[in-house]
Amino acid sequence: MTEFFQSFGMPYEWAWTVATLTGIIVISLLVMFAVAMVIYVDRKVLGAIMLRRGPNVVGPFGLLQSFADGLKVFLQETIIPSAANKGIFLLAPIITFTVALAAWAVIPFDAGMVLADINVGLLYILAISSLGVYGVVMSGWASNSKYPFFSAMRAAAQMISYEVSIGFVLVCVVLFAGTFNMSGIVEAQKGHGLGIINGFFVNPLLFPMFVVFFISALAETARAPFDLTEAESELVAGYQTEYSSMAFALFWLGEYANILLMCSLCTLLFMGGWLPPIEWAPLYYVPGIVWFLLKTFFFFFLFSWIWATVPRYRYDQLMRLGWKVFLPMSLLFVALISGYLMATKIAPIF
Amino acid sequence: MIQAIAFYLFAGLVIASAVMVIMSRNPVHSVLWLILAFFNAAGLMVLVGAEFIAMLLVIVYVGAVAVLFLFVVMMLDIDFAAMRAGFVKNFPLGLAVAAILLAELVLGIGAYSAGGLELGSAETVAAQAPGESNIEAIGRLLYGPYIFLFEIAGIILLVAMIGAIVLTHREPKPGARGRQDIGKQISRRPEEATVMKNPEVGQGVEL
């Protein structure tokens, strides 16, 4: 796109800036649209599992439900509690939302279809997603109210705990791929399963890590069964209790953008991203972005399915799972995988 | 042009937020300004091409250390009057610390402008090969010439971690309900936990 703007006679750096800004706007709008549709899908799936219809009034099949909800919250009054710390109270949802969008900069939707193809892409995602906890913690503290504060405490502990095991899982993937670049990781999965199947998930050493990553992703995005930060039977609505109108909507959108991000990470790291599932030439005629979206929405369906199926964890069980099960397990697999890779490097018979 | 704008933006914000860390009355605000300072410092690292260090700065300091700061500071019950009352008492000490820091800065800059230190030998200093990424260059150094220092650092951290766990570990008191056995809890079936009773009218249930 830079060349396109350069053709108007702009110098390279300004053309680059304009091209990048355009890319940012396009990706943000598309992600926001995807979030709106995904909220609808989430409610429909939940409805189907509970044997009811789900949203079906606004638009054909209720397709416009999310937009109607958006319009509704947009027109509502923003209420700020008088005892709240006003600046931080308003900053918190903005941070959640911005951080949720910022991580999409390094996600490759197709070969070469990525805004920032940086060689520390995976670390960037880890860095940005570690910022997500601030929105929750700040809102909990600034609300100056008991339930949000408890929720913030829970969220801080939960997100830090599961980030550790996510970090080790990413190390395992990077060891196999040999790069931190997202596109490089996808390319490394080409024909990984005996030259037939694309994706790391078929590797017996990486499949357990895939399961750990998926469950940690549920915990990291505070999705059921780990939604203790907004457990309505204990904490009203958790950190969102005091929020209304657009401030609340920003939390909501940020949350779903994060869920979509985690789904696309599952796709990119383990399922071969934009590559077709099987290494077969006719499948390459389907555009890569279609494969990417299909796989991402498959994971989102799993997220909805789990939400509708399983009961909520107890908090001590959540901590036990993170620290006593996933952390030792992922550490063991880092050792196993690096050992295996060294062994195959020295004696390539394996 | 853009590099210069970005540099002055990040550098200015680092300094401004660092000043705000010590200026703001509310400790929670201080921690949040500190996070902004870390973040902009990471931006500066990206500008000089050290993207790996920049990401680590954000992951380690912003993602873990500052969250713990915030976690602790948020739970403080802040009494602003008491905080201000200690100001006069602590002022000389603070001044002394500031003077030492200033002296160190002057000394450091003086030593640097007088020629600076020769750090390490030529083959152990990072000479980045063209086309080699940050991560590979750092890895080559850390796991090459500096492997022992790196492992010693790892051992020290491990010992510190074990020490912290030993210091805070407490056995449950005798008579307390003790540890929960998760396996036992999960393997419990409805038949063992519940009893079906069908009492006659007017008769109670024997529990």
Side-chain angles (χ1 to χ4, degrees):
Chain A
M1 204 151 41
T2 310
E3 289 81 32
F4 172 74
F5 285 107
Q6 267 178 312
S7 63
F8 291 121
M10 278 191 210
Y12 174 76
E13 37 185 53
W14 288 112
W16 182 86
T17 310
V18 174
T20 309
L21 283 176
T22 320
I24 291 171
I25 292 167
V26 169
I27 289 181
S28 316
L29 286 178
L30 286 180
V31 169
M32 277 349 292
F33 179 72
V35 163
M37 291 330 287
V38 136
I39 290 173
Y40 164 78
V41 169
D42 206 16
R43 296 173 64 177
K44 270 291 194 198
V45 170
L46 197 63
I49 292 175
M50 293 175 175
L51 298 180
R52 53 187 177 81
R53 285 171 190 276
N56 63 347
V57 176
V58 191
F61 307 109
L63 271 170
L64 301 175
Q65 182 66 45
S66 299
F67 300 100
D69 285 344
L71 191 67
K72 184 199 73 178
V73 282
F74 192 71
L75 295 174
Q76 277 173 339
E77 182 194 358
T78 308
I79 300 167
I80 299 173
S82 55
N85 190 316
K86 202 172 174 186
I88 297 182
F89 185 82
L90 289 176
L91 197 60
I94 298 172
I95 286 185
T96 304
F97 183 69
T98 319
V99 163
L101 283 183
W104 287 91
V106 294
I107 298 286
F109 299 96
D110 196 351
M113 199 196 269
V114 47
L115 181 67
D117 199 19
I118 55 178
N119 56 18
V120 287
L122 200 54
L123 283 174
Y124 171 83
I125 288 182
L126 200 59
I128 290 293
S129 70
S130 71
L131 289 179
V133 67
Y134 283 107
V136 179
V137 170
M138 283 162 71
S139 67
W141 181 80
S143 296
N144 209 348
S145 160
K146 280 197 187 66
Y147 295 126
F149 191 67
F150 283 137
S151 165
M153 292 286 131
R154 284 183 175 188
Q158 178 177 339
M159 289 192 184
I160 291 178
S161 308
Y162 280 86
E163 230 153 61
V164 181
S165 49
I166 284 191
F168 280 119
V169 173
L170 297 188
V171 168
C172 293
V173 173
V174 166
L175 279 173
F176 259 101
T179 173
F180 274 98
N181 180 294
M182 298 302 284
S183 310
I185 290 172
V186 174
E187 291 296 345
Q189 297 176 41
K190 198 165 184 176
H192 190 74
L194 304 169
I196 308 164
I197 303 166
N198 292 322
F200 278 150
F201 71 102
V202 286
N203 189 319
L205 278 172
L206 280 172
F207 185 74
M209 289 296 93
F210 172 45
V211 177
V212 168
F213 183 81
F214 185 73
I215 300 175
S216 300
L218 285 173
E220 186 75 5
T221 51
R223 242 334 241 203
F226 306 109
D227 55 345
L228 285 139
T229 55
E230 42 194 288
E232 54 281 274
S233 54
E234 303 156 26
L235 294 178
V236 190
Y239 59 93
Q240 303 165 341
T241 306
E242 306 290 344
Y243 282 88
S244 56
S245 161
M246 268 325 270
F248 173 75
L250 286 183
F251 272 126
W252 207 27
L253 296 173
E255 200 177 293
Y256 272 93
N258 268 330
I259 290 168
L260 269 185
L261 181 79
M262 280 298 172
C263 295
S264 66
L265 272 185
C266 285
T267 308
L268 290 170
L269 298 179
F270 294 100
M271 299 290 276
W274 66 78
L275 300 170
I278 296 166
E279 190 73 2
W280 185 44
L283 288 179
Y284 278 93
Y285 287 110
V286 180
I289 191 161
V290 174
W291 290 119
F292 175 80
L293 290 178
L294 273 179
K295 290 171 183 174
T296 305
F297 289 133
F298 167 70
F299 280 111
F300 186 80
F301 173 71
L302 287 187
F303 268 61
S304 304
W305 189 3
I306 289 168
W307 183 33
T309 318
V310 291
R312 190 174 289 134
Y313 253 53
R314 216 169 56 203
Y315 199 72
D316 62 316
Q317 290 174 337
L318 173 89
M319 284 296 151
R320 179 182 163 273
L321 185 68
W323 290 105
K324 290 189 178 173
V325 180
F326 283 176
L327 181 59
M329 193 173 154
S330 49
L331 259 175
L332 174 74
F333 270 87
V334 169
L336 274 181
I337 287 174
S338 37
Y340 168 78
L341 287 174
M342 277 315 278
T344 46
K345 204 172 161 189
I346 296 164
I349 7 160
F350 288 95
Chain B
M1 178 62 186
I2 290 177
Q3 292 93 322
I5 294 173
F7 172 77
Y8 284 110
L9 182 75
F10 288 141
L13 277 171
V14 169
I15 293 170
S17 46
V19 168
M20 286 309 290
V21 172
I22 50 172
M23 292 291 282
S24 56
R25 284 268 160 76
N26 193 329
V28 174
H29 291 182
S30 287
V31 176
L32 293 176
W33 284 115
L34 187 66
I35 292 161
L36 188 64
F38 284 149
F39 212 67
N40 283 298
L44 286 177
M45 298 279 188
V46 171
L47 271 188
V48 294
E51 69 268 3
F52 182 62
I53 304 281
M55 292 305 147
L56 283 196
L57 187 73
V58 175
I59 293 171
V60 174
Y61 282 91
V62 181
V65 175
V67 175
L68 291 180
F69 275 5
L70 201 61
F71 202 82
V72 173
V73 162
M74 274 193 337
M75 286 197 266
L76 298 176
D77 189 17
I78 309 149
D79 184 0
F80 292 107
M83 274 173 72
R84 251 168 280 166
F87 180 73
V88 181
K89 200 179 75 188
N90 292 330
F91 187 66
L93 184 68
L95 214 60
V97 172
I100 291 171
L101 284 178
L102 182 69
E104 283 183 346
L105 270 182
V106 170
L107 199 67
I109 294 169
Y112 179 73
S113 51
L117 272 182
E118 285 287 330
L119 280 175
S121 52
E123 69 267 21
T124 55
V125 177
Q128 206 168 335
E132 188 184 41
S133 80
N134 252 267
I135 306 165
E136 286 159 336
I138 290 173
R140 199 161 43 76
L141 278 184
L142 274 187
Y143 292 99
Y146 295 115
I147 179 73
F148 289 115
L149 293 174
F150 184 66
E151 301 218 317
I152 288 169
I155 295 281
I156 291 172
L157 285 175
L158 182 68
V159 169
M161 199 166 81
I162 294 172
I165 294 171
V166 168
L167 283 178
T168 51
H169 181 75
R170 280 203 190 91
E171 285 297 324
K173 282 184 209 145
R177 290 177 72 195
R179 296 273 151 84
Q180 297 186 9
D181 186 349
I182 301 280
K184 218 165 106 192
Q185 290 176 0
I186 293 172
S187 60
R188 209 161 88 130
R189 296 291 114 190
E191 301 84 61
E192 308 157 22
T194 54
V195 187
M196 280 299 285
K197 292 270 185 182
N198 196 5
E200 296 289 315
V201 176
Q203 295 197 333
V205 180
E206 193 83 19
L207 281 175

